[in-house]
């Protein structure tokens, strides 16, 4: 993992499925927006074991924030949107208004079918 460009910059570690075209497209998109170095994107195929205890990084997006808190499923997506800021905050607030059970249900449908759909 790269060193922080500045000690004051907050950084989230984002673990994603590198065999998924959808996941790679999203990571590529946010990588181009990552000029402040807020995110460290880590492909799950580079991990010998799950780096995030309690989560299977092969099957879900996992974000660990600068405080060491882990987020998965729709909460991981919301964390990325919120940390990115700007226009993504509008999407964050709209999606955040949905009940977590519904958000996670929709996330899991896409995750389960991501290799077929993309």
């Amino acid at each position: 993992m790269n060193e922080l460009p500045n000690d004051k910059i907050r950084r989230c570690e984002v673990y994603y499925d590198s065999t998924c075209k959808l996941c790679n497209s999203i990571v590529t998109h946010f990588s181009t927006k990552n000029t402040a170095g807020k995110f460290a994107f880590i492909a799950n195929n580079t991990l010998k074991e799950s780096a995030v205890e309690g989560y299977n990084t092969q099957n879900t997006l996992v974000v660990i924030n600068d405080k060491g808190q882990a987020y998965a499923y729709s909460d991981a997506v919301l964390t990325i949107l919120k940390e990115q800021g700007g226009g993504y905050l509008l999407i964050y607030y709209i999606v955040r208004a949905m009940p977590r059970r519904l958000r996670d249900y929709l996330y899991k449908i896409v995750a389960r079918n991501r290799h077929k759909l993309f």
Side-chain angles (χ1 to χ4, degrees), residues 43-56:
N44 63 12
N45 67 344
T46 63
L47 305 174
K48 293 181 182 174
E49 296 178 18
S50 177
V52 186
E53 192 172 317
Y55 296 104
N56 181 346

Side-chain angles (χ1 to χ4, degrees), residues 5-101:
N6 180 335
D7 291 340
K8 296 179 183 178
I9 293 177
R10 294 176 52 191
R11 188 169 208 163
C12 293
E13 294 177 351
V14 180
Y15 296 88
Y16 68 99
D17 178 1
S18 60
T19 64
C20 167
K21 290 180 184 178
L22 173 63
C23 303
N24 282 318
S25 295
I26 292 169
V27 166
T28 299
H29 173 77
F30 281 101
S31 291
T32 62
K33 310 280 184 204
N34 191 27
T35 57
K38 292 182 182 181
F39 303 104
F41 296 100
I42 302 153
N44 63 12
N45 67 344
T46 63
L47 305 174
K48 293 181 182 174
E49 296 178 18
S50 177
V52 186
E53 192 172 317
Y55 296 104
N56 181 346
T57 56
Q58 299 290 327
N59 295 324
T60 188
L61 176 70
V62 177
V63 174
I64 301 177
N65 70 10
D66 63 324
K67 297 174 185 163
Q69 299 165 313
Y71 298 93
Y73 310 113
S74 65
D75 286 340
V77 174
L78 287 172
T79 301
I80 293 170
L81 293 171
K82 185 177 181 183
E83 289 295 322
Q84 185 60 46
Y88 295 100
L89 284 176
L90 177 61
I91 300 168
Y92 167 82
Y93 287 115
I94 291 169
V95 174
R96 181 80 173 111
M98 299 165 74
R100 179 182 289 157
R101 290 179 98 183

